[in-house]
Amino acid sequence: MSGIERIGPGIHLVGGPGLTDNRDALTYLIEDSGELALIDSGAGPGYRNLIANIAAAGQDPARLKYVIATHAHIDHIGALADLARDFGPDIAAHEADAHSIESGDSRATAADWYGLTLKPAQVTIRLAGRENRLRLGKIDLICLHTPGHTPGSMVVYLDREGRRYLFGQDIHGPFDPAFGSDIAIWRESMKTLLELKADVLAEGHYGVFDGSGQVAAFIQGFLTRFSE
């Protein structure tokens, strides 16, 4: 499908509004040495378009090694069960959100917001603690626990050809008691992201920000908006 965007070497935007389904968060594909990782999966109804876009990016979805769920909201995890059924990748998520993904809780996953039913998916890699590394080909995908939006929210980052790429889904919130949100904890998470000094931010709904100044300004803008 048209609109697939190359973000960096071996990194593509393959899902989201206008690409797969308007209910989808933005979904990113990473390739290294023939292995693939998908950052989130969309809400589910656009699944076939997502698979077509992976192929249009020149990649075989059968080579998916990981699907990394950045948090437990349906617009990010709705197609996990389908991906696991069809291609067998490991599903990685932080343990603090894993129960919601596996149970299909309609409130914690925001499925009721979207009027959708979530297919529960088994989390095969339960990440714990602050930082975890997943090996993809010859590189490490660094999964950093950044709670606040949900208890198990994570970002993923990698360094490639002298640039740092940060996949920071839902940096902007929103915050709701049904999600287990905590704005005070979220502020600390955002300060941690600023310390990463990323060159490129691939966000979950706002798109791609290229340049360390733009990345910092985006994060700082939301910190200012939700200041005490």
Side-chain angles (χ1 to χ4, degrees):
M1 297 177 67
S2 62
I4 297 170
E5 180 181 349
R6 180 185 183 276
I7 296 167
I11 304 172
H12 289 83
L13 169 64
V14 293
L19 279 172
T20 46
D21 186 276
N22 287 337
R23 291 163 287 190
D24 289 347
L26 301 180
T27 302
Y28 300 95
L29 181 71
I30 305 168
E31 184 275 335
D32 194 85
S33 303
E35 294 183 340
L36 302 176
L38 203 59
I39 308 296
D40 290 331
S41 73
Y47 172 64
R48 292 299 169 193
N49 291 334
L50 176 64
I51 298 308
N53 287 348
I54 293 172
Q59 302 298 336
D60 181 355
R63 290 190 282 119
L64 277 168
K65 184 176 183 180
Y66 307 113
V67 184
I68 302 173
T70 60
H71 62 288
H73 287 166
I74 193 169
D75 52 328
H76 299 260
I77 64 168
L80 291 182
D82 291 331
L83 287 161
R85 177 197 65 212
D86 292 343
F87 304 108
D90 276 313
I91 306 298
H94 196 275
E95 63 179 2
D97 272 14
H99 174 73
S100 298
I101 295 169
E102 294 180 333
S103 69
D105 184 305
S106 63
R107 293 188 73 235
T109 63
D112 52 358
W113 279 27
Y114 286 86
L116 296 171
T117 299
L118 176 66
K119 297 178 185 178
Q122 182 182 1
V123 177
T124 55
I125 300 178
R126 300 172 81 94
L127 303 174
R130 181 178 182 273
E131 182 179 302
N132 293 265
R133 292 173 181 257
L134 298 176
R135 192 69 173 175
L136 184 75
K138 298 178 180 179
I139 65 170
D140 284 333
L141 305 180
I142 303 168
C143 302
L144 188 65
H145 187 209
T146 53
H149 176 48
T150 70
S153 290
M154 301 189 304
V155 301
V156 180
Y157 71 94
L158 63 94
D159 295 324
R160 177 168 277 177
E161 295 185 4
R163 305 192 85 199
R164 175 161 290 177
Y165 295 84
L166 171 62
F167 302 88
Q169 309 291 68
D170 288 19
I171 281 174
H172 60 283
F175 307 99
D176 190 286
F179 305 156
S181 300
D182 188 316
I183 292 181
I185 292 174
W186 169 84
R187 291 191 194 101
E188 294 307 310
S189 294
M190 294 306 100
K191 292 174 185 176
T192 297
L193 294 192
L194 288 171
E195 292 170 0
L196 292 177
K197 299 186 185 301
D199 299 289
V200 178
L201 168 64
E203 215 266 348
H205 294 272
Y206 281 78
V208 178
F209 298 83
D210 195 332
S212 58
Q214 288 194 43
V215 174
F218 179 83
I219 299 169
Q220 187 60 56
F222 280 96
L223 268 171
T224 300
R225 180 180 299 185
F226 295 109
S227 62
E228 294 181 281

